[in-house]
Amino acid sequence: MTDEEMPGGASLATGGRRSAGGPQDPAPPRGVRHLLRGPRPEAVPVLAGRACALVGLLDIAAGVFPRFRHSRMHALAEVLPGALGPFAAALSLSAGVLLLLLAHGLKRGKRRAWRAAVVLLPAGAVAQFTYRHSLLGVLLTLALLAPLLRHREQFTALPDPRSRWRALANFVLMGAGSLLLGLVVVNAHPGPLVDDPSLADRLAHVLYGLFGFEGPVHYRGDASWTVAFSLGALGLLTAVTTIYLAFRPEHPAARLTGDDEARLRALLARHGARDSLGHFALRRDKAVVFSPSGKAAVTYRVVSGVMLASGDPIGDVEAWPGAIERFMDEARAHSWTPAVMGCSETGGEVWTRETGLDALEIGDEAVVDVADFSLAGRPMRNVRQMVKRIERAGYETRVRRVSDLGEAELDRIRRAADAWRGTDTERGFSMALGRVGDPADGDCLVATAHRADAPTAGHGDLKAVLHFVPWGTDGVSLDLMRRDRSADPGMNELLIVAALRSAPRFGVTRVSLNFAMFRSALARGEKLGAGPVLRVWRGLLVFLSRWFQIESLYKFNAKFRPRWEPRFVVYRAPADLPRIGLAALQAEGFLRLALPLPRFLRHRFSAPRPCVHRTAPDPVRARAENTARTA
């Protein structure tokens, strides 16, 4: 077992079931519940997006390949927007690239993509009539435009959150695409080529052409103008789209405001014992929607078009339907894919009943009842021996509330936790708080391991840190585990045992440990009589554990003889699961699709990072900020 960073998990002791309908937020009638199912793709946006992509590909082909324009597809290509007389190649290429860029937005019903397509198609029709006097081209363009105008009410989705780094991403991706497409353009005219230029000359010709200059490659006849216009159009598109993204109004991803945090803390104070993931809703890189009564809330983050919630809704279970309805309304307004990661069985039942979504069990979390925990007995022999060995080596443990620590010691713990992090980025979303030692989190527990004879260099005697967040008034949930790599193995086991032994002193009766993905498959797959399909599935999970700690987390949790609480993912359709999985990996920090920017550019192009340290929210100041923001 490697003692690496393991984001903590949480559990819900379900107890009795309560009806999810009440006078404050009544459940909608069964006849209208299908309206809450989220942004299911409509026929017109999907067909419009596919048609836009097809027209774009045909326009690109008509602009790049001379033989294509004289093939059997000539009659169709000539009437597509962009095939405009002597400038056919450059304009077809430009129109094709723009239509491809618009296709995905049209499929999602984005309003701005619809507006751009509505402007582009008439412009192509006017160009058809002006340059080629092609009535058929005008009619075909109007035939494509008519359904967009007729069904404009289906293109109402709002823009996604965005930040400045997308301009740099567009420059790199569009530049690379223009370079490759430019090479195709240069090589698509072999007949008129003068001599046989080398690959370096052709690449240089593309680079010169993208900036509007003549390159070292020469053609006979009109091919030189065709290549020059095509390369210039690609360079212009790259520049214009990059400038637009760089200077358009910025709408960064929503962040938890001070007022929102204060309202969430009030809900957790009354209902925090229901779900051990509740305190993780206070991550400041999440957004929140509240029920109409304000008695329940759902926190989320938008990742790659997926509106990703985590855990159960916060607050009174009778008000959950109102918060869920607001969540689904927000997803539908932006054409986001709704999903919930790590909800409990109760939460999954409410989500599926109120929205028509489906649920799939994705694993279990380990919950240890303090009263039943003991190191005695054969099953606990390995943990008992490891703890005794480390204690004999001179290590001691301390378990304290954050509010009982001084600022100097908190700062040392924060710096040590950052230094011992195994990755460049902070991992965690659904079961990690993302900060340590915040004054607003005074109820959190910190368990530390110290060695008196350790050298004073580095972080001194501090060798490992565990951080727990509150789970109601009588429970805690493991948030993070960090240790000095030079320390003896077993630091995490030592601190968990120390936390469990100290739990009665803080009135803690239950401790939630790490979340184990696909635990049941791992447990059943290694037993006698497991079928071939289950064994293959377990083998795949073991293979993936090299990167995602699937098996190691399960075995680590199992050492403490916990009870297992199932957790679920809620999704709209099976086809959405790969996309949701990718978004979850991004949110948890296991996968980064953003560009690796230089350090001096990160503050300009990257989205705001979650705060590590911030004072408690001031309700008066928060209300003033919200008033100013609304104005």
Side-chain angles (χ1 to χ4, degrees):
M1 172 66 188
T2 303
D3 296 327
E4 297 181 353
E5 176 191 2
M6 291 182 266
S11 159
L12 172 63
T14 55
R17 296 287 185 261
R18 297 179 62 184
S19 173
Q24 301 298 330
D25 284 301
R30 182 178 299 273
V32 299
R33 285 179 186 171
H34 68 280
L35 297 176
L36 305 180
R37 295 188 179 186
R40 291 186 182 276
E42 299 290 344
V44 172
V46 173
L47 291 177
R50 292 174 180 174
C52 187
L54 177 60
V55 170
L57 291 175
L58 292 175
D59 272 0
I60 291 175
V64 172
F65 302 106
R67 294 181 180 179
F68 176 81
R69 293 197 296 274
H70 297 284
S71 67
R72 295 180 179 178
M73 294 295 293
H74 171 74
L76 176 61
E78 282 293 298
V79 297
L80 291 176
L84 309 175
F87 304 100
L91 292 177
S92 289
L93 204 56
S94 302
V97 172
L98 289 174
L99 290 173
L100 282 179
L101 293 176
L102 292 174
H104 182 65
L106 286 176
K107 289 179 65 175
R108 295 180 61 195
K110 291 294 184 180
R111 187 68 175 178
R112 289 187 176 181
W114 177 86
R115 290 173 179 172
V118 167
V119 171
L120 181 62
L121 289 175
V126 171
Q128 289 276 5
F129 185 77
T130 303
Y131 287 96
R132 296 187 66 251
H133 307 288
S134 173
L135 184 60
L136 181 60
V138 174
L139 293 177
L140 179 59
T141 302
L142 294 178
L144 295 175
L145 180 62
L148 293 179
L149 295 175
R150 181 180 178 183
H151 300 281
R152 58 184 178 275
E153 72 280 354
Q154 296 191 24
F155 298 88
T156 58
L158 301 176
D160 293 341
R162 55 182 183 257
S163 58
R164 298 295 187 194
W165 75 267
R166 294 184 183 273
L168 184 60
N170 178 82
F171 176 75
V172 173
L173 297 177
M174 282 286 291
S178 298
L179 185 62
L180 294 176
L181 196 54
L183 283 174
V184 176
V185 171
V186 170
N187 293 303
H189 302 269
L193 265 177
V194 177
D195 299 327
D196 186 16
S198 64
L199 178 61
D201 289 336
R202 300 183 188 211
L203 182 60
H205 190 84
V206 173
L207 292 174
Y208 278 108
L210 292 177
F211 289 94
F213 300 106
E214 184 67 24
V217 178
H218 300 284
Y219 298 87
R220 289 182 290 269
D222 295 335
S224 178
W225 289 102
T226 301
V227 173
F229 278 126
S230 299
L231 295 179
L234 288 174
L236 183 63
L237 281 178
T238 302
V240 169
T241 54
T242 301
I243 292 173
Y244 167 74
L245 292 173
F247 290 98
R248 67 177 177 172
E250 184 176 8
H251 295 279
R255 293 290 183 265
L256 204 65
T257 66
D259 185 51
D260 291 338
E261 185 174 336
R263 294 176 66 184
L264 286 174
R265 289 185 182 276
L267 292 178
L268 289 172
R270 294 192 295 268
H271 307 283
R274 178 175 296 281
D275 185 10
S276 57
L277 271 65
H279 199 86
F280 298 123
L282 298 176
R283 283 184 65 104
R284 288 162 186 161
D285 56 356
K286 290 183 177 181
V288 60
V289 290
F290 289 91
S291 66
S293 66
K295 293 184 176 181
V298 175
T299 59
Y300 66 92
R301 187 194 300 172
V302 179
V303 183
S304 297
V306 177
M307 191 176 182
L308 199 63
S310 59
D312 292 344
I314 307 300
D316 188 351
V317 67
E318 294 184 356
W320 284 6
I324 291 173
E325 181 179 357
R326 289 283 180 87
F327 177 88
M328 299 301 291
D329 287 343
E330 191 78 6
R332 183 168 55 253
H334 292 269
S335 189
W336 291 329
T337 300
V340 185
M341 293 296 298
C343 66
S344 68
E345 186 175 359
T346 301
E349 289 175 353
V350 177
W351 274 99
T352 55
R353 184 178 68 245
E354 299 299 328
T355 65
L357 302 178
D358 293 322
L360 176 68
E361 184 176 344
I362 57 172
D364 303 82
E365 61 173 333
V367 179
V368 179
D369 294 314
V370 174
D372 298 333
F373 176 77
S374 173
L375 289 179
R378 184 178 181 83
M380 299 297 296
R381 182 180 59 180
N382 290 337
V383 177
R384 181 174 63 250
Q385 292 177 348
M386 179 175 291
V387 169
K388 289 183 177 179
R389 176 179 58 81
I390 297 175
E391 290 176 341
R392 287 195 299 267
Y395 288 91
E396 63 176 21
T397 59
R398 303 169 191 171
V399 181
R400 294 159 290 179
R401 296 276 189 191
V402 167
S403 57
D404 297 332
L405 297 174
E407 182 58 34
E409 187 166 7
L410 281 175
D411 183 65
R412 183 170 73 130
I413 292 174
R414 282 193 291 264
R415 287 188 287 105
D418 289 339
W420 296 336
R421 187 173 58 211
T423 59
D424 293 334
T425 58
E426 186 79 38
R427 286 183 175 175
F429 164 70
S430 57
M431 300 177 186
L433 188 60
R435 59 182 183 265
V436 177
D438 193 297
D441 302 319
D443 290 340
C444 293
L445 288 179
V446 176
T448 55
H450 304 262
R451 186 168 182 175
D453 59 349
T456 57
H459 302 285
D461 64 332
L462 184 61
K463 294 300 177 182
V465 175
L466 263 62
H467 188 254
F468 298 85
V469 300
W471 174 11
T473 58
D474 63 346
V476 291
S477 299
L478 181 60
D479 175 26
L480 64 81
M481 307 171 70
R482 305 276 172 82
R483 71 175 182 87
D484 189 343
R485 294 292 187 260
S486 64
D488 292 275
M491 290 290 102
N492 292 331
E493 289 87 342
L494 173 68
L495 287 181
I496 287 179
V497 171
L500 290 170
R501 287 173 170 173
S502 303
R505 179 160 52 94
F506 300 100
V508 173
T509 61
R510 50 186 180 169
V511 177
S512 175
L513 302 179
N514 298 292
F515 177 75
M517 291 285 291
F518 307 113
R519 180 205 65 87
S520 58
L522 291 170
R524 294 196 302 265
E526 63 183 355
K527 291 183 178 180
L528 182 66
V533 175
L534 186 57
R535 288 185 180 274
V536 170
W537 174 227
R538 181 183 181 278
L540 177 61
L541 293 176
V542 172
F543 174 75
L544 294 175
S545 297
R546 300 179 182 181
W547 297 278
F548 300 112
Q549 296 185 338
I550 299 174
E551 185 184 29
S552 59
L553 278 176
Y554 159 58
K555 291 185 175 180
F556 178 84
N557 292 335
K559 291 180 180 181
F560 302 96
R561 315 295 293 177
R563 55 182 169 89
W564 299 100
E565 295 287 346
R567 289 280 172 174
F568 300 83
V569 58
V570 177
Y571 60 98
R572 183 177 57 189
D576 292 334
L577 286 175
R579 186 179 182 186
I580 294 172
L582 183 66
L585 289 177
Q586 290 179 254
E588 297 288 350
F590 288 100
L591 181 64
R592 296 190 66 191
L593 299 183
L595 291 176
L597 301 179
R599 185 180 297 274
F600 71 94
L601 289 177
R602 289 177 186 172
H603 71 284
R604 295 182 62 86
F605 291 99
S606 298
R609 297 180 62 84
C611 298
V612 176
H613 175 72
R614 191 174 77 181
T615 57
D618 183 354
V620 176
R621 181 179 179 183
R623 284 194 293 270
E625 291 177 351
N626 289 340
T627 303
R629 188 179 298 108
T630 303

